[in-house]
Amino acid sequence: MRALDIAATGMAAQSQNLEVIANNIANINTTAFKRSRAEFTDLIYQAERLQGVSSRGQTAVVPEGAQIGLGVRTAAIRPLNIQGSLTNTGNQLDLAINGRGWLQVTMPDGTTLYTRAGALSTNANGQIVTADGYPIQPTIIVPNNTTAITISQSGLVEATIGGQTNPQQLGQITLANFVNEAGLMAMGGNLFQPTAASGQPVVGLPANPGYGAINQGYLEASNVDPVSEISNMIEAQRAYEMNSKVIETASAMASTISNMRVS
């Protein structure tokens, strides 16, 4: 019976849906994490009777026809790039982007990846790096005898160096924007890679039109809503159970028909 295969696709889809929800909940405390949503589309249809054709060769036209859908599949797992709340940390190298934009990160192989996780620090050479030690672009080096670092909303980095009264400018943080942020490929570690779907990065200054402002001493929290995710999890569970029930019913019906034929 086709119902067995159709319901099986529904169970597989809800299983993937639950996996997406589980990943959202697992990253509820991940800095700048963006929750995802599974989106589904129906599969092809099998026509038992085509609409719009002549009825029995006469001039009358079949108005509706009969098509049986063959199930569902996952069309996309869409990241929802909604701004997360800003959490005050007091750390002078913690940066939160309030609005659009991505920090640029140089990888060991020389490629550039992008992140919104602004938990930054300095390495042994004084270079500002991510939590995994990858330097940000443009390169900014903090002198060894720095007593305080100030980062403006426009990304200008200044340092107060021991023995001096006037701050010294160290560099300028820039942000990258993408036409389609949902098209970025997640690489893990809060890093993302551009694809043909995302378009090429457009680099600009923070707080300029179309770019978010830098907030020093803050981190962007995950945008996962626990209440919403629990509700989604319950819905996925109910949908999975209903598809399971369809399989049980279809199996019982098939067994009944088989017994009738044997007798």
Side-chain angles (χ1 to χ4, degrees), residues 114-125:
Y114 301 86
T115 185
R116 284 182 65 92
L120 306 178
S121 57
T122 55
N123 62 14
N125 300 319

Side-chain angles (χ1 to χ4, degrees), residues 12-163:
Q14 292 307 320
S15 178
Q16 289 181 320
N17 189 21
L18 189 60
E19 290 169 357
V20 172
I21 295 168
N23 188 59
N24 289 342
I25 294 174
N27 284 282
I28 200 167
N29 290 321
T30 300
T31 302
F33 177 80
K34 306 301 181 185
R35 68 186 181 91
S36 298
R37 180 183 68 217
E39 298 185 352
F40 304 100
T41 184
D42 49 356
L43 290 175
I44 62 174
Y45 285 77
Q46 184 171 329
E48 301 292 327
R49 189 185 190 195
L50 290 175
Q51 61 269 49
V53 300
S54 298
S55 176
R56 299 180 181 275
Q58 304 299 319
T59 56
V61 174
V62 175
E64 295 178 356
Q67 290 181 295
I68 304 237
L70 298 182
V72 63
R73 68 176 176 88
T74 303
I77 297 175
R78 174 172 294 180
L80 303 177
N81 291 305
I82 301 169
Q83 178 75 43
S85 60
L86 304 188
T87 303
N88 188 349
T89 66
N91 188 333
Q92 61 183 359
L93 283 179
D94 281 346
L95 306 180
I97 303 171
N98 190 8
R100 295 191 62 197
W102 300 76
L103 295 171
Q104 304 156 88
V105 179
T106 303
M107 302 305 292
D109 61 0
T111 60
T112 302
L113 298 183
Y114 301 86
T115 185
R116 284 182 65 92
L120 306 178
S121 57
T122 55
N123 62 14
N125 300 319
Q127 192 171 10
I128 295 181
V129 296
T130 67
D132 290 323
Y134 304 132
I136 65 169
Q137 297 179 18
T139 300
I140 299 175
I141 297 177
V142 179
N144 185 41
N145 55 343
T146 297
T147 57
I149 299 173
T150 302
I151 303 174
S152 69
Q153 290 196 332
S154 61
L156 185 64
V157 182
E158 295 180 326
T160 301
I161 300 174

